[in-house]
Amino acid sequence: MRWSLKILGCAALVASVSGVSANDVINVKRMTMELARDIATASVEACRADGYQVTAVVVDRSGDVQAVLRDVLAPRFTYQIARDKAAAVILSGVKSSVFRANREDIRMEMNHVDGILVLEGGVPIEAAGYLVGAVGVSGAPGGHLDEVCALKAIETVQERLDFAM
């Protein structure tokens, strides 16, 4: 018992001397590989059902690619476009269409930032109120249609996102 008190006392002394506080370490929510895969798959399937060949890219909260799915006839360029739409969501925290509408004043400049493309088709992925990533879709005949596919995909996993702890 005495040793326990001494150890706790030493730990408290070290913490106060070093300036360590509970706010120095944070917990971060991340999506699983399976969730990212399911969102990419649902995005491509939603567009395919409407007759569009697309690529879906899911990025994590840092903007790093976590899952990619390109339909058979989707042009290879759709990968980069989808990825850059998702990155715009990570930058702004909102759908890429909302970012585009809200920041029309800097849209052209933002499109010159390497890895960012301010076009419709990127949607945030939120779990229990936390941004855990984004999905970008490219290949439908219009970014608004890419966005519809991404939103349908999020809808297919919404219950899993809502109850993520």
Side-chain angles (χ1 to χ4, degrees), residues 84-95:
D84 292 356
K85 288 178 182 184
V89 172
I90 297 302
L91 172 68
S92 65
V94 296
K95 292 189 297 186

Side-chain angles (χ1 to χ4, degrees), residues 46-113:
C47 272
R48 184 185 274 181
D50 290 332
Y52 312 133
Q53 295 279 306
V54 301
T55 298
V57 176
V58 177
V59 299
D60 65 15
R61 59 179 286 113
S62 299
D64 294 320
V65 174
Q66 195 165 349
V68 176
L69 192 62
R70 183 175 66 86
D71 211 344
V72 177
L73 298 177
R76 70 181 180 97
F77 303 103
T78 58
Y79 165 71
Q80 179 183 349
I81 295 167
R83 183 193 67 211
D84 292 356
K85 288 178 182 184
V89 172
I90 297 302
L91 172 68
S92 65
V94 296
K95 292 189 297 186
S96 58
S97 61
V98 172
F99 184 39
R100 179 182 175 139
N102 289 346
R103 297 311 313 259
E104 186 62 37
D105 59 325
I106 62 167
R107 182 175 59 85
M108 294 307 291
E109 291 86 351
M110 291 306 304
N111 284 337
H112 290 287
V113 175

